[in-house]
Amino acid sequence: GPGSAAVEPCRIVGNVYYVGAANIASYLITTPEGHVLLDTGTTTMQANLPRNIEQLEFKLSDVRLLLASHAHVDHIQGHALMQRITGAMVFAMRGDAETRATGKDLSGTAADGWEPIPIERW
């Protein structure tokens, strides 16, 4: 949908960058020890998300950790693909564990779901 439309990535403040879409957020937090990607958005964003990170001159291989603010389709549908692209570890809050691991949005907010995501740390 229109919320997944591509936009230019940008620096927000300090080491925090916006790499998401028109109305679905993804944030890259950079550190010398490796980068954190917070929220990966929808499947339709995945053509632009890696490109946005690289456009800011960061390496995908430096993304070491994938996090999600919460387990809804517009926040984690891209996690499995970004995990494969980056090799990053996936951490999750215990309350989101079942839904993230099975790919089923238990909240009833979205029917799409997502590819199951292996969680490395709760």
Side-chain angles (χ1 to χ4, degrees):
S4 297
V7 296
E8 288 294 311
C10 63
R11 180 174 173 256
I12 297 173
V13 63
N15 64 333
V16 180
Y17 298 83
Y18 188 83
V19 293
N23 198 30
I24 300 176
S26 292
Y27 301 97
L28 183 71
I29 303 160
T30 61
T31 77
E33 295 82 29
H35 309 322
V36 176
L37 185 58
L38 173 62
D39 292 344
T40 55
T42 61
T43 301
T44 55
M45 290 171 55
Q46 298 316 297
N48 295 315
L49 186 54
R51 184 174 29 233
N52 284 351
I53 292 169
E54 291 177 329
Q55 187 175 328
L56 292 169
E57 299 185 359
F58 296 109
K59 294 179 184 174
L60 292 169
S61 60
D62 286 339
V63 176
R64 302 283 162 78
L65 181 59
L66 297 179
L67 299 176
S69 55
H70 59 284
H72 284 174
V73 68
D74 56 337
H75 296 267
I76 68 169
Q77 197 173 42
H79 261 53
L81 178 61
M82 287 304 293
Q83 196 282 326
R84 285 194 295 277
I85 290 171
T86 64
M89 294 182 295
V90 180
F91 288 9
M93 295 178 288
R94 193 164 299 281
D96 287 342
E98 180 183 352
T99 190
R100 290 179 71 179
T102 62
K104 293 183 175 109
D105 188 341
L106 302 176
S107 71
T109 60
D112 289 346
W114 47 81
E115 182 180 340
I117 306 157
I119 308 298
E120 277 150 286
R121 187 177 297 168
W122 308 105

PDB file of all heavy atoms in Angstrom, residues 39-78:
ATOM      1  N   ASP A  39      12.586  -2.566  13.725  1.00  0.00           N
ATOM      2  CA  ASP A  39      11.427  -2.727  12.838  1.00  0.00           C
ATOM      3  C   ASP A  39      11.878  -2.852  11.380  1.00  0.00           C
ATOM      4  O   ASP A  39      12.721  -2.091  10.919  1.00  0.00           O
ATOM      5  CB  ASP A  39      10.404  -1.604  12.992  1.00  0.00           C
ATOM      6  CG  ASP A  39       9.695  -1.624  14.336  1.00  0.00           C
ATOM      7  OD1 ASP A  39       9.759  -2.655  15.034  1.00  0.00           O
ATOM      8  OD2 ASP A  39       9.065  -0.608  14.677  1.00  0.00           O
ATOM      9  N   THR A  40      11.314  -3.841  10.697  1.00  0.00           N
ATOM     10  CA  THR A  40      11.682  -4.091   9.298  1.00  0.00           C
ATOM     11  C   THR A  40      10.528  -3.871   8.351  1.00  0.00           C
ATOM     12  O   THR A  40      10.677  -4.063   7.146  1.00  0.00           O
ATOM     13  CB  THR A  40      12.217  -5.527   9.128  1.00  0.00           C
ATOM     14  OG1 THR A  40      11.237  -6.442   9.621  1.00  0.00           O
ATOM     15  CG2 THR A  40      13.537  -5.714   9.853  1.00  0.00           C
ATOM     16  N   GLY A  41       9.368  -3.498   8.872  1.00  0.00           N
ATOM     17  CA  GLY A  41       8.242  -3.167   8.008  1.00  0.00           C
ATOM     18  C   GLY A  41       7.640  -4.356   7.300  1.00  0.00           C
ATOM     19  O   GLY A  41       7.778  -5.503   7.722  1.00  0.00           O
ATOM     20  N   THR A  42       6.970  -4.060   6.195  1.00  0.00           N
ATOM     21  CA  THR A  42       6.227  -5.063   5.428  1.00  0.00           C
ATOM     22  C   THR A  42       7.090  -5.690   4.334  1.00  0.00           C
ATOM     23  O   THR A  42       8.150  -5.166   3.987  1.00  0.00           O
ATOM     24  CB  THR A  42       5.007  -4.415   4.762  1.00  0.00           C
ATOM     25  OG1 THR A  42       5.473  -3.399   3.871  1.00  0.00           O
ATOM     26  CG2 THR A  42       4.061  -3.823   5.791  1.00  0.00           C
ATOM     27  N   THR A  43       6.593  -6.774   3.779  1.00  0.00           N
ATOM     28  CA  THR A  43       7.295  -7.439   2.686  1.00  0.00           C
ATOM     29  C   THR A  43       7.530  -6.491   1.520  1.00  0.00           C
ATOM     30  O   THR A  43       8.595  -6.504   0.905  1.00  0.00           O
ATOM     31  CB  THR A  43       6.481  -8.670   2.209  1.00  0.00           C
ATOM     32  OG1 THR A  43       6.329  -9.549   3.318  1.00  0.00           O
ATOM     33  CG2 THR A  43       7.173  -9.402   1.091  1.00  0.00           C
ATOM     34  N   THR A  44       6.550  -5.646   1.229  1.00  0.00           N
ATOM     35  CA  THR A  44       6.694  -4.742   0.082  1.00  0.00           C
ATOM     36  C   THR A  44       7.773  -3.694   0.287  1.00  0.00           C
ATOM     37  O   THR A  44       8.237  -3.092  -0.679  1.00  0.00           O
ATOM     38  CB  THR A  44       5.354  -4.041  -0.249  1.00  0.00           C
ATOM     39  OG1 THR A  44       4.884  -3.382   0.929  1.00  0.00           O
ATOM     40  CG2 THR A  44       4.322  -5.037  -0.722  1.00  0.00           C
ATOM     41  N   MET A  45       8.236  -3.486   1.500  1.00  0.00           N
ATOM     42  CA  MET A  45       9.317  -2.538   1.770  1.00  0.00           C
ATOM     43  C   MET A  45      10.697  -3.147   1.536  1.00  0.00           C
ATOM     44  O   MET A  45      11.690  -2.423   1.506  1.00  0.00           O
ATOM     45  CB  MET A  45       9.246  -2.044   3.221  1.00  0.00           C
ATOM     46  CG  MET A  45       8.089  -1.142   3.522  1.00  0.00           C
ATOM     47  SD  MET A  45       7.915  -0.805   5.307  1.00  0.00           S
ATOM     48  CE  MET A  45       9.534  -0.168   5.760  1.00  0.00           C
ATOM     49  N   GLN A  46      10.780  -4.455   1.380  1.00  0.00           N
ATOM     50  CA  GLN A  46      12.083  -5.107   1.401  1.00  0.00           C
ATOM     51  C   GLN A  46      12.957  -4.824   0.183  1.00  0.00           C
ATOM     52  O   GLN A  46      14.158  -5.016   0.225  1.00  0.00           O
ATOM     53  CB  GLN A  46      11.925  -6.608   1.640  1.00  0.00           C
ATOM     54  CG  GLN A  46      11.280  -6.935   2.975  1.00  0.00           C
ATOM     55  CD  GLN A  46      11.830  -6.122   4.129  1.00  0.00           C
ATOM     56  OE1 GLN A  46      12.993  -6.209   4.473  1.00  0.00           O
ATOM     57  NE2 GLN A  46      10.988  -5.293   4.744  1.00  0.00           N
ATOM     58  N   ALA A  47      12.375  -4.335  -0.889  1.00  0.00           N
ATOM     59  CA  ALA A  47      13.195  -3.924  -2.023  1.00  0.00           C
ATOM     60  C   ALA A  47      13.965  -2.657  -1.684  1.00  0.00           C
ATOM     61  O   ALA A  47      15.077  -2.447  -2.185  1.00  0.00           O
ATOM     62  CB  ALA A  47      12.322  -3.702  -3.256  1.00  0.00           C
ATOM     63  N   ASN A  48      13.405  -1.802  -0.824  1.00  0.00           N
ATOM     64  CA  ASN A  48      14.025  -0.514  -0.517  1.00  0.00           C
ATOM     65  C   ASN A  48      14.805  -0.481   0.781  1.00  0.00           C
ATOM     66  O   ASN A  48      15.754   0.299   0.898  1.00  0.00           O
ATOM     67  CB  ASN A  48      12.951   0.582  -0.486  1.00  0.00           C
ATOM     68  CG  ASN A  48      12.337   0.779  -1.841  1.00  0.00           C
ATOM     69  OD1 ASN A  48      13.031   0.846  -2.849  1.00  0.00           O
ATOM     70  ND2 ASN A  48      11.018   0.855  -1.885  1.00  0.00           N
ATOM     71  N   LEU A  49      14.444  -1.284   1.759  1.00  0.00           N
ATOM     72  CA  LEU A  49      15.106  -1.224   3.062  1.00  0.00           C
ATOM     73  C   LEU A  49      16.620  -1.467   2.962  1.00  0.00           C
ATOM     74  O   LEU A  49      17.401  -0.634   3.440  1.00  0.00           O
ATOM     75  CB  LEU A  49      14.432  -2.184   4.040  1.00  0.00           C
ATOM     76  CG  LEU A  49      14.886  -2.160   5.486  1.00  0.00           C
ATOM     77  CD1 LEU A  49      14.818  -0.775   6.096  1.00  0.00           C
ATOM     78  CD2 LEU A  49      14.048  -3.137   6.308  1.00  0.00           C
ATOM     79  N   PRO A  50      17.087  -2.539   2.330  1.00  0.00           N
ATOM     80  CA  PRO A  50      18.541  -2.723   2.209  1.00  0.00           C
ATOM     81  C   PRO A  50      19.196  -1.577   1.426  1.00  0.00           C
ATOM     82  O   PRO A  50      20.271  -1.102   1.797  1.00  0.00           O
ATOM     83  CB  PRO A  50      18.681  -4.049   1.454  1.00  0.00           C
ATOM     84  CG  PRO A  50      17.398  -4.757   1.699  1.00  0.00           C
ATOM     85  CD  PRO A  50      16.350  -3.684   1.790  1.00  0.00           C
ATOM     86  N   ARG A  51      18.535  -1.127   0.385  1.00  0.00           N
ATOM     87  CA  ARG A  51      19.068  -0.030  -0.432  1.00  0.00           C
ATOM     88  C   ARG A  51      19.180   1.256   0.399  1.00  0.00           C
ATOM     89  O   ARG A  51      20.149   1.998   0.281  1.00  0.00           O
ATOM     90  CB  ARG A  51      18.173   0.178  -1.655  1.00  0.00           C
ATOM     91  CG  ARG A  51      18.665   1.213  -2.610  1.00  0.00           C
ATOM     92  CD  ARG A  51      17.857   1.329  -3.884  1.00  0.00           C
ATOM     93  NE  ARG A  51      16.451   0.974  -3.740  1.00  0.00           N
ATOM     94  CZ  ARG A  51      15.843   0.083  -4.519  1.00  0.00           C
ATOM     95  NH1 ARG A  51      16.497  -0.550  -5.461  1.00  0.00           N
ATOM     96  NH2 ARG A  51      14.561  -0.154  -4.354  1.00  0.00           N
ATOM     97  N   ASN A  52      18.181   1.520   1.265  1.00  0.00           N
ATOM     98  CA  ASN A  52      18.231   2.711   2.109  1.00  0.00           C
ATOM     99  C   ASN A  52      19.424   2.678   3.055  1.00  0.00           C
ATOM    100  O   ASN A  52      20.090   3.689   3.272  1.00  0.00           O
ATOM    101  CB  ASN A  52      16.936   2.862   2.904  1.00  0.00           C
ATOM    102  CG  ASN A  52      15.793   3.367   2.063  1.00  0.00           C
ATOM    103  OD1 ASN A  52      15.970   3.773   0.919  1.00  0.00           O
ATOM    104  ND2 ASN A  52      14.596   3.330   2.631  1.00  0.00           N
ATOM    105  N   ILE A  53      19.695   1.517   3.632  1.00  0.00           N
ATOM    106  CA  ILE A  53      20.843   1.375   4.536  1.00  0.00           C
ATOM    107  C   ILE A  53      22.138   1.639   3.774  1.00  0.00           C
ATOM    108  O   ILE A  53      23.006   2.399   4.221  1.00  0.00           O
ATOM    109  CB  ILE A  53      20.844  -0.022   5.190  1.00  0.00           C
ATOM    110  CG1 ILE A  53      19.644  -0.140   6.146  1.00  0.00           C
ATOM    111  CG2 ILE A  53      22.159  -0.283   5.926  1.00  0.00           C
ATOM    112  CD1 ILE A  53      19.373  -1.546   6.649  1.00  0.00           C
ATOM    113  N   GLU A  54      22.270   1.043   2.599  1.00  0.00           N
ATOM    114  CA  GLU A  54      23.482   1.223   1.793  1.00  0.00           C
ATOM    115  C   GLU A  54      23.597   2.648   1.261  1.00  0.00           C
ATOM    116  O   GLU A  54      24.701   3.171   1.127  1.00  0.00           O
ATOM    117  CB  GLU A  54      23.509   0.207   0.660  1.00  0.00           C
ATOM    118  CG  GLU A  54      23.730  -1.207   1.177  1.00  0.00           C
ATOM    119  CD  GLU A  54      23.688  -2.266   0.098  1.00  0.00           C
ATOM    120  OE1 GLU A  54      22.963  -2.085  -0.901  1.00  0.00           O
ATOM    121  OE2 GLU A  54      24.388  -3.280   0.276  1.00  0.00           O
ATOM    122  N   GLN A  55      22.479   3.293   0.964  1.00  0.00           N
ATOM    123  CA  GLN A  55      22.508   4.671   0.478  1.00  0.00           C
ATOM    124  C   GLN A  55      23.097   5.618   1.526  1.00  0.00           C
ATOM    125  O   GLN A  55      23.729   6.619   1.193  1.00  0.00           O
ATOM    126  CB  GLN A  55      21.100   5.125   0.087  1.00  0.00           C
ATOM    127  CG  GLN A  55      21.061   6.490  -0.577  1.00  0.00           C
ATOM    128  CD  GLN A  55      19.666   6.845  -1.057  1.00  0.00           C
ATOM    129  OE1 GLN A  55      18.887   5.975  -1.435  1.00  0.00           O
ATOM    130  NE2 GLN A  55      19.345   8.112  -1.026  1.00  0.00           N
ATOM    131  N   LEU A  56      22.907   5.278   2.799  1.00  0.00           N
ATOM    132  CA  LEU A  56      23.495   6.062   3.887  1.00  0.00           C
ATOM    133  C   LEU A  56      24.956   5.682   4.134  1.00  0.00           C
ATOM    134  O   LEU A  56      25.575   6.147   5.083  1.00  0.00           O
ATOM    135  CB  LEU A  56      22.680   5.877   5.170  1.00  0.00           C
ATOM    136  CG  LEU A  56      21.274   6.478   5.133  1.00  0.00           C
ATOM    137  CD1 LEU A  56      20.469   6.010   6.331  1.00  0.00           C
ATOM    138  CD2 LEU A  56      21.339   8.001   5.076  1.00  0.00           C
ATOM    139  N   GLU A  57      25.477   4.793   3.275  1.00  0.00           N
ATOM    140  CA  GLU A  57      26.868   4.335   3.300  1.00  0.00           C
ATOM    141  C   GLU A  57      27.192   3.445   4.494  1.00  0.00           C
ATOM    142  O   GLU A  57      28.297   3.459   5.019  1.00  0.00           O
ATOM    143  CB  GLU A  57      27.829   5.520   3.168  1.00  0.00           C
ATOM    144  CG  GLU A  57      27.623   6.259   1.857  1.00  0.00           C
ATOM    145  CD  GLU A  57      28.641   7.369   1.612  1.00  0.00           C
ATOM    146  OE1 GLU A  57      29.515   7.606   2.468  1.00  0.00           O
ATOM    147  OE2 GLU A  57      28.536   7.995   0.539  1.00  0.00           O
ATOM    148  N   PHE A  58      26.194   2.656   4.908  1.00  0.00           N
ATOM    149  CA  PHE A  58      26.417   1.625   5.918  1.00  0.00           C
ATOM    150  C   PHE A  58      26.341   0.267   5.238  1.00  0.00           C
ATOM    151  O   PHE A  58      25.623   0.096   4.250  1.00  0.00           O
ATOM    152  CB  PHE A  58      25.387   1.719   7.044  1.00  0.00           C
ATOM    153  CG  PHE A  58      25.483   2.987   7.825  1.00  0.00           C
ATOM    154  CD1 PHE A  58      24.511   3.966   7.722  1.00  0.00           C
ATOM    155  CD2 PHE A  58      26.570   3.213   8.656  1.00  0.00           C
ATOM    156  CE1 PHE A  58      24.605   5.144   8.435  1.00  0.00           C
ATOM    157  CE2 PHE A  58      26.684   4.402   9.380  1.00  0.00           C
ATOM    158  CZ  PHE A  58      25.701   5.364   9.259  1.00  0.00           C
ATOM    159  N   LYS A  59      27.075  -0.697   5.776  1.00  0.00           N
ATOM    160  CA  LYS A  59      27.101  -2.046   5.207  1.00  0.00           C
ATOM    161  C   LYS A  59      26.011  -2.900   5.844  1.00  0.00           C
ATOM    162  O   LYS A  59      25.846  -2.898   7.070  1.00  0.00           O
ATOM    163  CB  LYS A  59      28.454  -2.704   5.454  1.00  0.00           C
ATOM    164  CG  LYS A  59      29.590  -2.036   4.739  1.00  0.00           C
ATOM    165  CD  LYS A  59      30.884  -2.744   5.072  1.00  0.00           C
ATOM    166  CE  LYS A  59      32.045  -2.016   4.435  1.00  0.00           C
ATOM    167  NZ  LYS A  59      33.325  -2.598   4.866  1.00  0.00           N
ATOM    168  N   LEU A  60      25.318  -3.668   5.012  1.00  0.00           N
ATOM    169  CA  LEU A  60      24.306  -4.596   5.530  1.00  0.00           C
ATOM    170  C   LEU A  60      24.937  -5.615   6.466  1.00  0.00           C
ATOM    171  O   LEU A  60      24.334  -6.017   7.455  1.00  0.00           O
ATOM    172  CB  LEU A  60      23.588  -5.285   4.378  1.00  0.00           C
ATOM    173  CG  LEU A  60      22.704  -4.361   3.543  1.00  0.00           C
ATOM    174  CD1 LEU A  60      22.253  -5.064   2.277  1.00  0.00           C
ATOM    175  CD2 LEU A  60      21.520  -3.879   4.353  1.00  0.00           C
ATOM    176  N   SER A  61      26.162  -6.017   6.171  1.00  0.00           N
ATOM    177  CA  SER A  61      26.836  -7.011   7.014  1.00  0.00           C
ATOM    178  C   SER A  61      27.174  -6.467   8.397  1.00  0.00           C
ATOM    179  O   SER A  61      27.488  -7.239   9.302  1.00  0.00           O
ATOM    180  CB  SER A  61      28.109  -7.509   6.324  1.00  0.00           C
ATOM    181  OG  SER A  61      28.997  -6.423   6.084  1.00  0.00           O
ATOM    182  N   ASP A  62      27.102  -5.144   8.587  1.00  0.00           N
ATOM    183  CA  ASP A  62      27.348  -4.557   9.903  1.00  0.00           C
ATOM    184  C   ASP A  62      26.083  -4.500  10.766  1.00  0.00           C
ATOM    185  O   ASP A  62      26.152  -4.116  11.930  1.00  0.00           O
ATOM    186  CB  ASP A  62      27.932  -3.146   9.769  1.00  0.00           C
ATOM    187  CG  ASP A  62      29.390  -3.176   9.318  1.00  0.00           C
ATOM    188  OD1 ASP A  62      30.054  -4.219   9.486  1.00  0.00           O
ATOM    189  OD2 ASP A  62      29.859  -2.142   8.786  1.00  0.00           O
ATOM    190  N   VAL A  63      24.931  -4.864  10.193  1.00  0.00           N
ATOM    191  CA  VAL A  63      23.699  -4.953  10.987  1.00  0.00           C
ATOM    192  C   VAL A  63      23.789  -6.250  11.777  1.00  0.00           C
ATOM    193  O   VAL A  63      23.787  -7.337  11.216  1.00  0.00           O
ATOM    194  CB  VAL A  63      22.434  -4.922  10.105  1.00  0.00           C
ATOM    195  CG1 VAL A  63      21.186  -5.121  10.963  1.00  0.00           C
ATOM    196  CG2 VAL A  63      22.357  -3.621   9.325  1.00  0.00           C
ATOM    197  N   ARG A  64      23.916  -6.144  13.096  1.00  0.00           N
ATOM    198  CA  ARG A  64      24.153  -7.308  13.949  1.00  0.00           C
ATOM    199  C   ARG A  64      22.941  -7.737  14.753  1.00  0.00           C
ATOM    200  O   ARG A  64      22.900  -8.842  15.281  1.00  0.00           O
ATOM    201  CB  ARG A  64      25.302  -7.010  14.917  1.00  0.00           C
ATOM    202  CG  ARG A  64      26.588  -6.636  14.239  1.00  0.00           C
ATOM    203  CD  ARG A  64      27.284  -7.875  13.684  1.00  0.00           C
ATOM    204  NE  ARG A  64      28.273  -7.545  12.677  1.00  0.00           N
ATOM    205  CZ  ARG A  64      29.474  -7.073  12.894  1.00  0.00           C
ATOM    206  NH1 ARG A  64      29.867  -6.855  14.123  1.00  0.00           N
ATOM    207  NH2 ARG A  64      30.282  -6.830  11.896  1.00  0.00           N
ATOM    208  N   LEU A  65      21.938  -6.843  14.873  1.00  0.00           N
ATOM    209  CA  LEU A  65      20.803  -7.142  15.736  1.00  0.00           C
ATOM    210  C   LEU A  65      19.519  -6.602  15.120  1.00  0.00           C
ATOM    211  O   LEU A  65      19.473  -5.454  14.686  1.00  0.00           O
ATOM    212  CB  LEU A  65      21.035  -6.496  17.110  1.00  0.00           C
ATOM    213  CG  LEU A  65      19.986  -6.692  18.191  1.00  0.00           C
ATOM    214  CD1 LEU A  65      19.780  -8.177  18.499  1.00  0.00           C
ATOM    215  CD2 LEU A  65      20.391  -5.934  19.451  1.00  0.00           C
ATOM    216  N   LEU A  66      18.492  -7.457  15.066  1.00  0.00           N
ATOM    217  CA  LEU A  66      17.158  -7.052  14.613  1.00  0.00           C
ATOM    218  C   LEU A  66      16.232  -7.020  15.819  1.00  0.00           C
ATOM    219  O   LEU A  66      16.143  -7.998  16.560  1.00  0.00           O
ATOM    220  CB  LEU A  66      16.600  -8.032  13.575  1.00  0.00           C
ATOM    221  CG  LEU A  66      17.344  -8.163  12.265  1.00  0.00           C
ATOM    222  CD1 LEU A  66      16.650  -9.189  11.373  1.00  0.00           C
ATOM    223  CD2 LEU A  66      17.465  -6.836  11.553  1.00  0.00           C
ATOM    224  N   LEU A  67      15.554  -5.904  15.997  1.00  0.00           N
ATOM    225  CA  LEU A  67      14.594  -5.735  17.079  1.00  0.00           C
ATOM    226  C   LEU A  67      13.264  -5.287  16.489  1.00  0.00           C
ATOM    227  O   LEU A  67      13.219  -4.768  15.371  1.00  0.00           O
ATOM    228  CB  LEU A  67      15.064  -4.660  18.070  1.00  0.00           C
ATOM    229  CG  LEU A  67      16.373  -4.892  18.798  1.00  0.00           C
ATOM    230  CD1 LEU A  67      16.722  -3.675  19.646  1.00  0.00           C
ATOM    231  CD2 LEU A  67      16.303  -6.149  19.651  1.00  0.00           C
ATOM    232  N   ALA A  68      12.203  -5.471  17.249  1.00  0.00           N
ATOM    233  CA  ALA A  68      10.888  -4.969  16.836  1.00  0.00           C
ATOM    234  C   ALA A  68      10.232  -4.296  18.023  1.00  0.00           C
ATOM    235  O   ALA A  68      10.303  -4.790  19.148  1.00  0.00           O
ATOM    236  CB  ALA A  68      10.011  -6.111  16.328  1.00  0.00           C
ATOM    237  N   SER A  69       9.576  -3.197  17.754  1.00  0.00           N
ATOM    238  CA  SER A  69       8.854  -2.516  18.822  1.00  0.00           C
ATOM    239  C   SER A  69       7.715  -3.387  19.329  1.00  0.00           C
ATOM    240  O   SER A  69       7.439  -3.417  20.521  1.00  0.00           O
ATOM    241  CB  SER A  69       8.334  -1.161  18.345  1.00  0.00           C
ATOM    242  OG  SER A  69       7.544  -1.315  17.179  1.00  0.00           O
ATOM    243  N   HIS A  70       7.062  -4.115  18.419  1.00  0.00           N
ATOM    244  CA  HIS A  70       6.048  -5.100  18.784  1.00  0.00           C
ATOM    245  C   HIS A  70       5.725  -5.958  17.564  1.00  0.00           C
ATOM    246  O   HIS A  70       6.056  -5.602  16.438  1.00  0.00           O
ATOM    247  CB  HIS A  70       4.785  -4.437  19.352  1.00  0.00           C
ATOM    248  CG  HIS A  70       4.124  -3.477  18.418  1.00  0.00           C
ATOM    249  ND1 HIS A  70       4.614  -2.219  18.167  1.00  0.00           N
ATOM    250  CD2 HIS A  70       3.009  -3.598  17.660  1.00  0.00           C
ATOM    251  CE1 HIS A  70       3.836  -1.600  17.309  1.00  0.00           C
ATOM    252  NE2 HIS A  70       2.854  -2.417  16.985  1.00  0.00           N
ATOM    253  N   ALA A  71       5.116  -7.109  17.795  1.00  0.00           N
ATOM    254  CA  ALA A  71       4.927  -8.118  16.750  1.00  0.00           C
ATOM    255  C   ALA A  71       3.631  -7.910  15.968  1.00  0.00           C
ATOM    256  O   ALA A  71       2.682  -8.675  16.087  1.00  0.00           O
ATOM    257  CB  ALA A  71       4.977  -9.517  17.352  1.00  0.00           C
ATOM    258  N   HIS A  72       3.603  -6.869  15.164  1.00  0.00           N
ATOM    259  CA  HIS A  72       2.535  -6.674  14.180  1.00  0.00           C
ATOM    260  C   HIS A  72       3.169  -6.717  12.802  1.00  0.00           C
ATOM    261  O   HIS A  72       4.346  -6.399  12.636  1.00  0.00           O
ATOM    262  CB  HIS A  72       1.825  -5.342  14.376  1.00  0.00           C
ATOM    263  CG  HIS A  72       0.881  -5.315  15.530  1.00  0.00           C
ATOM    264  ND1 HIS A  72       0.246  -4.177  15.936  1.00  0.00           N
ATOM    265  CD2 HIS A  72       0.458  -6.301  16.354  1.00  0.00           C
ATOM    266  CE1 HIS A  72      -0.522  -4.444  16.976  1.00  0.00           C
ATOM    267  NE2 HIS A  72      -0.401  -5.728  17.251  1.00  0.00           N
ATOM    268  N   VAL A  73       2.379  -7.074  11.817  1.00  0.00           N
ATOM    269  CA  VAL A  73       2.863  -7.296  10.461  1.00  0.00           C
ATOM    270  C   VAL A  73       3.646  -6.108   9.911  1.00  0.00           C
ATOM    271  O   VAL A  73       4.646  -6.288   9.225  1.00  0.00           O
ATOM    272  CB  VAL A  73       1.688  -7.714   9.538  1.00  0.00           C
ATOM    273  CG1 VAL A  73       0.717  -6.559   9.329  1.00  0.00           C
ATOM    274  CG2 VAL A  73       2.179  -8.273   8.232  1.00  0.00           C
ATOM    275  N   ASP A  74       3.237  -4.894  10.205  1.00  0.00           N
ATOM    276  CA  ASP A  74       3.924  -3.723   9.658  1.00  0.00           C
ATOM    277  C   ASP A  74       5.224  -3.397  10.393  1.00  0.00           C
ATOM    278  O   ASP A  74       5.932  -2.461  10.018  1.00  0.00           O
ATOM    279  CB  ASP A  74       3.001  -2.500   9.625  1.00  0.00           C
ATOM    280  CG  ASP A  74       2.409  -2.150  10.970  1.00  0.00           C
ATOM    281  OD1 ASP A  74       2.318  -3.028  11.849  1.00  0.00           O
ATOM    282  OD2 ASP A  74       2.023  -0.978  11.142  1.00  0.00           O
ATOM    283  N   HIS A  75       5.572  -4.182  11.402  1.00  0.00           N
ATOM    284  CA  HIS A  75       6.824  -3.983  12.127  1.00  0.00           C
ATOM    285  C   HIS A  75       7.813  -5.129  11.912  1.00  0.00           C
ATOM    286  O   HIS A  75       9.013  -4.908  12.027  1.00  0.00           O
ATOM    287  CB  HIS A  75       6.566  -3.825  13.626  1.00  0.00           C
ATOM    288  CG  HIS A  75       5.763  -2.611  13.938  1.00  0.00           C
ATOM    289  ND1 HIS A  75       6.336  -1.406  14.248  1.00  0.00           N
ATOM    290  CD2 HIS A  75       4.426  -2.411  13.952  1.00  0.00           C
ATOM    291  CE1 HIS A  75       5.370  -0.508  14.449  1.00  0.00           C
ATOM    292  NE2 HIS A  75       4.213  -1.102  14.281  1.00  0.00           N
ATOM    293  N   ILE A  76       7.307  -6.339  11.605  1.00  0.00           N
ATOM    294  CA  ILE A  76       8.240  -7.481  11.533  1.00  0.00           C
ATOM    295  C   ILE A  76       8.093  -8.371  10.300  1.00  0.00           C
ATOM    296  O   ILE A  76       8.793  -9.369  10.192  1.00  0.00           O
ATOM    297  CB  ILE A  76       8.159  -8.362  12.794  1.00  0.00           C
ATOM    298  CG1 ILE A  76       6.833  -9.085  12.894  1.00  0.00           C
ATOM    299  CG2 ILE A  76       8.453  -7.577  14.031  1.00  0.00           C
ATOM    300  CD1 ILE A  76       6.827 -10.141  13.970  1.00  0.00           C
ATOM    301  N   GLN A  77       7.256  -8.023   9.363  1.00  0.00           N
ATOM    302  CA  GLN A  77       7.092  -8.903   8.201  1.00  0.00           C
ATOM    303  C   GLN A  77       8.402  -9.060   7.422  1.00  0.00           C
ATOM    304  O   GLN A  77       8.636 -10.085   6.799  1.00  0.00           O
ATOM    305  CB  GLN A  77       5.979  -8.386   7.287  1.00  0.00           C
ATOM    306  CG  GLN A  77       5.485  -9.435   6.311  1.00  0.00           C
ATOM    307  CD  GLN A  77       4.278  -8.968   5.531  1.00  0.00           C
ATOM    308  OE1 GLN A  77       4.219  -7.817   5.091  1.00  0.00           O
ATOM    309  NE2 GLN A  77       3.318  -9.849   5.360  1.00  0.00           N
ATOM    310  N   GLY A  78       9.274  -8.078   7.496  1.00  0.00           N
ATOM    311  CA  GLY A  78      10.551  -8.151   6.794  1.00  0.00           C
ATOM    312  C   GLY A  78      11.685  -8.770   7.587  1.00  0.00           C
ATOM    313  O   GLY A  78      12.802  -8.900   7.083  1.00  0.00           O
TER     314      GLY A  78
END
